[in-house]
Amino acid sequence: MDKFGYVLDQLSLSTLRYHWQTVLTSAFMFAIVYEISRIFSPILFPKTFQYFLWDTIIAIYFYKYQGISMVIHGIASFSVFIFSFRPFINYYGAVFLMYEVSTIFLNFHWFMDKLGWTGSKIQLMNGIVLLSTFFGARVVFGPYMSYKLWNDIYTVKDDVPLRYWIVYGTANFATTCLNFWWFSQMIAMLRKRFPAKEQVAKHK
């Protein structure tokens, strides 16, 4: 273990020595879920269904670290896409996957923390892009498309089963609230990591 830690230190990944169990467990669980879903995917599972199945399992398993918000997100998304086997508003399924545009930069942000680049200029630049894509995709585009979604559903309301109203309504409301909450938390996080010059001067 000392040699392993030394290698991580040489690669500027010293913080990873405290997280490697989590990474290994996550990779192992993903492999299991992937192999199971790969067997049945030609018959049952579309790729998005697989992703949110995995996302839900990980959110529940790491609830202590990720919090209840990720569990709600996983369950809501999984519940919606499990209905994708029926020809009902499938067009909007692809539309709402645009939410994940910002996830790319969120992952970059996480890796920069593990690489010891917290507070660096490159993390600041990534944070700006992260906020921009998150705001555009989830705070502006998301609610607008939600309005379009419910407007379309309402036009055929008499043909929509009650379970669809419950599942889609609850999931859409939950994810919309989460997006606004997460955006506020992201702004607070960036302010904390990159304080204004006036605040820095006060502490000197």
Side-chain angles (χ1 to χ4, degrees):
M1 183 57 64
D2 291 338
K3 291 183 178 180
F4 181 64
Y6 175 77
V7 172
L8 293 177
D9 290 339
Q10 295 302 307
L11 294 174
S12 299
L13 297 172
S14 56
T15 56
L16 192 58
R17 69 165 66 199
Y18 306 108
H19 303 282
W20 69 269
Q21 299 95 331
T22 301
V23 175
L24 184 61
T25 302
S26 179
F28 179 71
M29 290 181 63
F30 175 80
I32 293 175
V33 174
Y34 174 77
E35 289 301 324
I36 294 175
S37 62
R38 185 174 63 86
I39 295 172
F40 294 101
S41 61
I43 304 173
L44 297 177
F45 298 147
K47 294 300 180 183
T48 305
F49 178 84
Q50 296 176 33
Y51 170 78
F52 284 116
L53 172 62
W54 160 251
D55 188 59
T56 302
I57 293 173
I58 291 300
I60 294 174
Y61 186 82
F62 293 109
Y63 163 77
K64 180 179 178 181
Y65 305 100
Q66 297 184 349
I68 190 64
S69 62
M70 291 303 297
V71 176
I72 294 173
H73 171 268
I75 294 175
S77 301
F78 177 76
S79 300
V80 166
F81 280 95
I82 201 173
F83 281 96
S84 64
F85 300 110
R86 296 294 182 91
F88 179 71
I89 60 172
N90 288 21
Y91 161 76
Y92 286 100
V95 168
F96 284 110
L97 284 177
M98 289 295 293
Y99 278 1
E100 301 304 324
V101 169
S102 61
T103 304
I104 301 170
F105 304 101
L106 180 62
N107 290 337
F108 287 162
H109 191 86
W110 184 88
F111 278 110
M112 288 178 188
D113 280 341
K114 302 310 174 188
L115 290 169
W117 295 352
T118 301
S120 63
K121 290 184 178 180
I122 189 171
Q123 191 180 52
L124 175 60
M125 294 173 60
N126 181 76
I128 294 172
V129 177
L130 170 59
L131 279 177
S132 301
T133 54
F134 193 98
F135 180 79
R138 295 179 180 248
V139 178
V140 177
F141 180 74
Y144 171 72
M145 293 310 299
S146 293
Y147 166 76
K148 298 273 290 182
L149 165 69
W150 290 109
N151 186 60
D152 286 347
I153 292 178
Y154 187 77
T155 59
V156 292
K157 60 182 184 299
D158 295 333
D159 299 323
V160 179
L162 177 61
R163 63 182 181 276
Y164 282 19
W165 287 100
I166 295 174
V167 172
Y168 282 92
T170 303
N172 185 246
F173 177 76
T175 53
T176 300
C177 291
L178 284 175
N179 287 334
F180 279 92
W181 164 252
W182 283 335
F183 186 69
S184 67
Q185 294 301 299
M186 290 164 64
I187 293 176
M189 176 188 66
L190 284 178
R191 284 180 174 176
K192 181 178 180 180
R193 296 191 179 191
F194 303 98
K197 293 182 179 180
E198 294 80 4
Q199 293 178 332
V200 175
K202 287 181 180 179
H203 291 287
K204 288 185 177 181

